[in-house]
Amino acid sequence: MSEYLVMGLVLAAFGMAGILTFLLTPHVKDFAHKVGAIDVPRDGRRMHTRPIPRLGGLAIFMGFLASALIFGKWDMAMLSVSTVFRSPFLSLPVRLARLLCWRVRRF
């Protein structure tokens, strides 16, 4: 594949992720208000003076995911990563990390 074609695909993927993130941010903000995911400043530790939605990363993730699904190369080597989660021995570190994240809740 030509280097110019690869650079064009990378720039198109990056641009699509950025545009989708920009377009999805107001919808995610409305969703955060509906579900109550709002950081309300109650003490002097907060830097904001008004309530701020806390789901901004969701719009970024959805933009990245859509771009990766459209422009990503999905072959058997990429899809074989999921076999790690099927094996009980290999998935033990993943399960322990999930348990640790669930147990130690950060605020």
Side-chain angles (χ1 to χ4, degrees), residues 34-92:
K34 286 180 185 176
V35 299
I38 304 294
D39 184 22
V40 180
R42 294 188 182 114
D43 53 10
R45 295 185 325 151
R46 308 282 195 254
M47 65 186 287
H48 299 290
T49 57
R50 58 187 172 87
I52 300 293
R54 298 185 70 188
L55 291 178
L58 183 62
I60 296 169
F61 176 72
M62 290 186 335
F64 165 76
L65 184 64
S67 180
L69 288 175
I70 291 173
F71 290 100
K73 180 182 174 189
W74 300 100
D75 56 358
M76 289 309 292
M78 183 66 149
L79 296 175
S80 67
V81 173
S82 66
T83 59
V84 170
F85 299 105
R86 290 189 199 131
S87 169
F89 178 72
L90 293 176
S91 67
L92 183 62

Side-chain angles (χ1 to χ4, degrees), residues 15-26 28 56-64:
M16 181 183 151
I19 290 170
L20 276 175
T21 301
F22 180 75
L23 293 175
L24 288 173
T25 299
V28 170
L58 183 62
I60 296 169
F61 176 72
M62 290 186 335
F64 165 76

